[in-house]
Amino acid sequence: YQRRVRDVFFQNCGVMELEPTSSEAPEVTEEQVKERERFLVELEFVQCLANPKYLYWLAQRKYFQDEAFIKYLNYLMYWCKPDYAKRLTYPNCLYFLELLQHEAFRHSLIQLENFEKIQRQEILHFQYYRNNRLKAVNHL
């Protein structure tokens, strides 16, 4: 998985090529390495937001009450832009990222009943999404 993420980053972001065209390996600056690392860490974190259990875990440990963490979630909204969103394996994480911008949603995650409801809804979505999409496409 990490290798695939790295390959996507290298191909799409132009930091370095996967297979150099010349006999020399491309020069990579320390800044490019740090940018790549930051990109991968943020990519992984944003995709973790697609997991309701992880959201519940964050809520239980009071991360959503930390102002710095809330600002970080706001900063991560750039992943909603198409150039970044196309790199996501789990695009439903963007839905949760948008919901986490609202204090009421963050507060509701502390309650077990709300977490369970979110988890059930996500399971139902994935269980029926394909069939519903196929029906809609067949009616066109």
Side-chain angles (χ1 to χ4, degrees):
Y1 171 75
Q2 288 179 337
R3 177 157 173 73
R4 189 174 67 75
V5 169
R6 272 187 240 123
D7 293 350
V8 168
F9 178 77
F10 291 147
Q11 288 173 336
N12 295 319
C13 296
V15 173
M16 63 189 294
E17 294 180 33
L18 289 175
E19 296 178 19
T21 53
S22 69
S23 60
E24 297 179 12
E27 289 188 31
V28 179
T29 65
E30 187 175 329
E31 182 180 324
Q32 289 173 323
V33 170
K34 287 180 181 178
E35 285 179 23
R36 180 181 144 268
E37 249 180 62
R38 191 187 93 228
F39 175 85
L40 294 174
V41 167
E42 291 176 359
L43 172 66
E44 186 172 350
F45 177 75
V46 167
Q47 294 197 110
C48 285
L49 298 178
N51 183 346
K53 288 181 183 179
Y54 183 62
L55 297 177
Y56 183 67
W57 184 88
L58 290 171
Q60 292 300 306
R61 281 146 187 86
K62 302 185 187 309
Y63 279 91
F64 298 137
Q65 296 173 7
D66 181 1
E67 199 61 39
F69 189 75
I70 293 168
K71 287 179 182 178
Y72 181 64
L73 290 172
N74 187 40
Y75 158 76
L76 291 173
M77 287 298 292
Y78 75 88
W79 282 97
C80 293
K81 295 178 182 176
D83 286 342
Y84 292 94
K86 69 183 179 184
R87 293 174 172 85
L88 296 170
T89 303
Y90 308 105
N92 56 320
C93 65
L94 297 178
Y95 177 72
F96 288 111
L97 180 60
E98 288 180 28
L99 287 174
L100 287 169
Q101 303 304 312
H102 305 284
E103 184 178 352
F105 180 74
R106 292 190 306 263
H107 183 69
S108 71
L109 285 172
I110 295 171
Q111 299 170 7
L112 180 63
E113 309 85 52
N114 293 333
F115 153 70
E116 289 172 341
K117 183 177 181 179
I118 291 168
Q119 192 172 28
R120 278 193 310 271
Q121 291 300 312
E122 190 172 48
I123 290 169
L124 288 171
H125 168 76
F126 287 117
Q127 188 175 14
Y128 295 105
Y129 177 77
R130 181 178 179 273
N131 291 338
N132 291 340
R133 288 290 294 160
L134 288 175
K135 288 176 189 175
V137 169
N138 290 335
H139 287 303
L140 294 178

CSV table of all heavy atoms in Angstrom, one decimal, residues 35-56:
chain,number,residue,atom,x,y,z
A,35,GLU,N,8.6,17.3,1.8
A,35,GLU,CA,7.2,17.5,1.2
A,35,GLU,C,6.6,16.2,0.9
A,35,GLU,O,5.4,16.1,1.2
A,35,GLU,CB,7.4,18.3,-0.1
A,35,GLU,CG,7.7,19.8,0.1
A,35,GLU,CD,7.8,20.5,-1.2
A,35,GLU,OE1,7.3,20.0,-2.3
A,35,GLU,OE2,8.5,21.6,-1.2
A,36,ARG,N,7.3,15.3,0.4
A,36,ARG,CA,6.8,13.9,0.1
A,36,ARG,C,6.3,13.3,1.4
A,36,ARG,O,5.2,12.7,1.4
A,36,ARG,CB,7.8,13.1,-0.6
A,36,ARG,CG,7.4,11.7,-1.0
A,36,ARG,CD,8.5,10.9,-1.6
A,36,ARG,NE,8.4,9.6,-1.2
A,36,ARG,CZ,9.1,9.0,-0.2
A,36,ARG,NH1,9.9,9.7,0.5
A,36,ARG,NH2,8.9,7.8,0.1
A,37,GLU,N,7.1,13.3,2.4
A,37,GLU,CA,6.7,12.7,3.7
A,37,GLU,C,5.5,13.3,4.2
A,37,GLU,O,4.6,12.6,4.7
A,37,GLU,CB,7.9,12.9,4.7
A,37,GLU,CG,8.6,11.7,5.1
A,37,GLU,CD,9.7,11.9,6.1
A,37,GLU,OE1,9.4,12.4,7.2
A,37,GLU,OE2,10.8,11.7,5.7
A,38,ARG,N,5.4,14.7,4.2
A,38,ARG,CA,4.2,15.4,4.7
A,38,ARG,C,3.0,15.0,3.9
A,38,ARG,O,1.9,14.7,4.4
A,38,ARG,CB,4.4,16.9,4.7
A,38,ARG,CG,3.3,17.6,5.4
A,38,ARG,CD,3.3,19.1,5.2
A,38,ARG,NE,2.4,19.4,4.1
A,38,ARG,CZ,2.7,20.2,3.1
A,38,ARG,NH1,3.9,20.8,3.0
A,38,ARG,NH2,1.9,20.4,2.1
A,39,PHE,N,3.1,14.9,2.6
A,39,PHE,CA,2.0,14.5,1.7
A,39,PHE,C,1.5,13.1,2.1
A,39,PHE,O,0.3,12.9,2.2
A,39,PHE,CB,2.5,14.5,0.3
A,39,PHE,CG,1.5,14.0,-0.7
A,39,PHE,CD1,0.5,14.8,-1.2
A,39,PHE,CD2,1.5,12.6,-1.1
A,39,PHE,CE1,-0.4,14.3,-2.1
A,39,PHE,CE2,0.6,12.1,-2.0
A,39,PHE,CZ,-0.4,13.0,-2.5
A,40,LEU,N,2.4,12.1,2.3
A,40,LEU,CA,2.1,10.8,2.6
A,40,LEU,C,1.4,10.7,4.0
A,40,LEU,O,0.4,10.0,4.2
A,40,LEU,CB,3.3,9.9,2.6
A,40,LEU,CG,3.9,9.7,1.2
A,40,LEU,CD1,5.2,8.8,1.3
A,40,LEU,CD2,2.9,9.0,0.2
A,41,VAL,N,1.9,11.4,5.0
A,41,VAL,CA,1.3,11.4,6.3
A,41,VAL,C,-0.1,12.0,6.3
A,41,VAL,O,-1.0,11.4,6.8
A,41,VAL,CB,2.2,12.2,7.3
A,41,VAL,CG1,1.5,12.4,8.6
A,41,VAL,CG2,3.5,11.4,7.5
A,42,GLU,N,-0.2,13.1,5.6
A,42,GLU,CA,-1.6,13.7,5.5
A,42,GLU,C,-2.5,12.9,4.7
A,42,GLU,O,-3.7,12.7,5.0
A,42,GLU,CB,-1.5,15.1,4.9
A,42,GLU,CG,-0.8,16.1,5.8
A,42,GLU,CD,-0.6,17.5,5.3
A,42,GLU,OE1,-0.9,17.7,4.1
A,42,GLU,OE2,0.0,18.3,6.0
A,43,LEU,N,-2.1,12.2,3.6
A,43,LEU,CA,-2.9,11.3,2.8
A,43,LEU,C,-3.4,10.2,3.7
A,43,LEU,O,-4.6,9.9,3.7
A,43,LEU,CB,-2.1,10.8,1.6
A,43,LEU,CG,-2.8,9.7,0.8
A,43,LEU,CD1,-4.0,10.2,0.1
A,43,LEU,CD2,-1.8,9.1,-0.2
A,44,GLU,N,-2.5,9.6,4.4
A,44,GLU,CA,-2.9,8.5,5.3
A,44,GLU,C,-3.9,8.9,6.4
A,44,GLU,O,-4.9,8.2,6.7
A,44,GLU,CB,-1.7,7.8,5.9
A,44,GLU,CG,-2.0,6.6,6.7
A,44,GLU,CD,-0.7,5.9,7.2
A,44,GLU,OE1,0.4,6.2,6.8
A,44,GLU,OE2,-0.9,4.9,8.0
A,45,PHE,N,-3.6,10.1,7.0
A,45,PHE,CA,-4.5,10.5,8.1
A,45,PHE,C,-5.9,10.9,7.5
A,45,PHE,O,-6.9,10.5,8.1
A,45,PHE,CB,-3.9,11.8,8.8
A,45,PHE,CG,-4.8,12.3,9.8
A,45,PHE,CD1,-5.0,11.7,11.0
A,45,PHE,CD2,-5.6,13.5,9.5
A,45,PHE,CE1,-5.9,12.2,12.0
A,45,PHE,CE2,-6.5,14.0,10.5
A,45,PHE,CZ,-6.6,13.3,11.7
A,46,VAL,N,-5.9,11.6,6.4
A,46,VAL,CA,-7.3,11.9,5.8
A,46,VAL,C,-8.0,10.6,5.5
A,46,VAL,O,-9.2,10.6,5.8
A,46,VAL,CB,-7.1,12.8,4.6
A,46,VAL,CG1,-8.4,12.9,3.8
A,46,VAL,CG2,-6.6,14.2,5.0
A,47,GLN,N,-7.4,9.6,5.0
A,47,GLN,CA,-8.1,8.4,4.7
A,47,GLN,C,-8.5,7.6,5.9
A,47,GLN,O,-9.5,6.9,5.9
A,47,GLN,CB,-7.3,7.5,3.8
A,47,GLN,CG,-7.1,8.2,2.4
A,47,GLN,CD,-6.6,7.3,1.3
A,47,GLN,OE1,-7.4,7.0,0.5
A,47,GLN,NE2,-5.4,6.8,1.4
A,48,CYS,N,-7.8,7.8,7.0
A,48,CYS,CA,-8.3,7.2,8.3
A,48,CYS,C,-9.6,7.8,8.7
A,48,CYS,O,-10.3,7.1,9.5
A,48,CYS,CB,-7.2,7.4,9.4
A,48,CYS,SG,-5.7,6.4,9.2
A,49,LEU,N,-9.9,9.0,8.3
A,49,LEU,CA,-11.2,9.6,8.7
A,49,LEU,C,-12.4,8.9,8.1
A,49,LEU,O,-13.5,9.1,8.5
A,49,LEU,CB,-11.2,11.1,8.3
A,49,LEU,CG,-10.1,11.9,9.0
A,49,LEU,CD1,-10.2,13.4,8.5
A,49,LEU,CD2,-10.2,11.9,10.5
A,50,ALA,N,-12.2,8.0,7.2
A,50,ALA,CA,-13.3,7.2,6.6
A,50,ALA,C,-13.7,6.1,7.5
A,50,ALA,O,-14.8,5.5,7.3
A,50,ALA,CB,-12.8,6.6,5.3
A,51,ASN,N,-13.0,5.9,8.6
A,51,ASN,CA,-13.2,4.8,9.5
A,51,ASN,C,-14.0,5.4,10.8
A,51,ASN,O,-13.4,6.1,11.6
A,51,ASN,CB,-11.9,4.1,9.9
A,51,ASN,CG,-12.1,2.9,10.9
A,51,ASN,OD1,-13.2,2.7,11.4
A,51,ASN,ND2,-11.1,2.2,11.0
A,52,PRO,N,-15.3,5.0,10.9
A,52,PRO,CA,-16.0,5.6,12.1
A,52,PRO,C,-15.4,5.1,13.4
A,52,PRO,O,-15.5,5.9,14.4
A,52,PRO,CB,-17.4,5.0,11.9
A,52,PRO,CG,-17.5,4.7,10.5
A,52,PRO,CD,-16.1,4.3,10.0
A,53,LYS,N,-14.8,3.9,13.5
A,53,LYS,CA,-14.1,3.5,14.7
A,53,LYS,C,-13.0,4.5,15.1
A,53,LYS,O,-12.8,4.8,16.3
A,53,LYS,CB,-13.6,2.1,14.6
A,53,LYS,CG,-14.7,1.1,14.6
A,53,LYS,CD,-14.1,-0.3,14.5
A,53,LYS,CE,-15.2,-1.4,14.4
A,53,LYS,NZ,-14.7,-2.7,14.2
A,54,TYR,N,-12.2,4.9,14.1
A,54,TYR,CA,-11.2,5.9,14.3
A,54,TYR,C,-11.7,7.2,14.8
A,54,TYR,O,-11.1,7.8,15.7
A,54,TYR,CB,-10.3,6.0,13.1
A,54,TYR,CG,-9.1,6.9,13.3
A,54,TYR,CD1,-8.1,6.6,14.2
A,54,TYR,CD2,-9.0,8.1,12.6
A,54,TYR,CE1,-7.0,7.4,14.4
A,54,TYR,CE2,-7.9,8.9,12.8
A,54,TYR,CZ,-6.9,8.6,13.7
A,54,TYR,OH,-5.8,9.4,13.9
A,55,LEU,N,-12.8,7.6,14.2
A,55,LEU,CA,-13.4,8.9,14.7
A,55,LEU,C,-13.9,8.8,16.1
A,55,LEU,O,-13.7,9.7,16.9
A,55,LEU,CB,-14.6,9.3,13.8
A,55,LEU,CG,-14.3,9.5,12.3
A,55,LEU,CD1,-15.5,9.8,11.5
A,55,LEU,CD2,-13.3,10.7,12.2
A,56,TYR,N,-14.5,7.7,16.5
A,56,TYR,CA,-14.9,7.4,17.8
A,56,TYR,C,-13.7,7.4,18.8
A,56,TYR,O,-13.7,8.0,19.9
A,56,TYR,CB,-15.7,6.1,17.9
A,56,TYR,CG,-16.2,5.8,19.3
A,56,TYR,CD1,-17.2,6.6,19.8
A,56,TYR,CD2,-15.8,4.7,20.0
A,56,TYR,CE1,-17.8,6.3,21.1
A,56,TYR,CE2,-16.3,4.4,21.2
A,56,TYR,CZ,-17.3,5.2,21.8
A,56,TYR,OH,-17.8,4.9,23.0
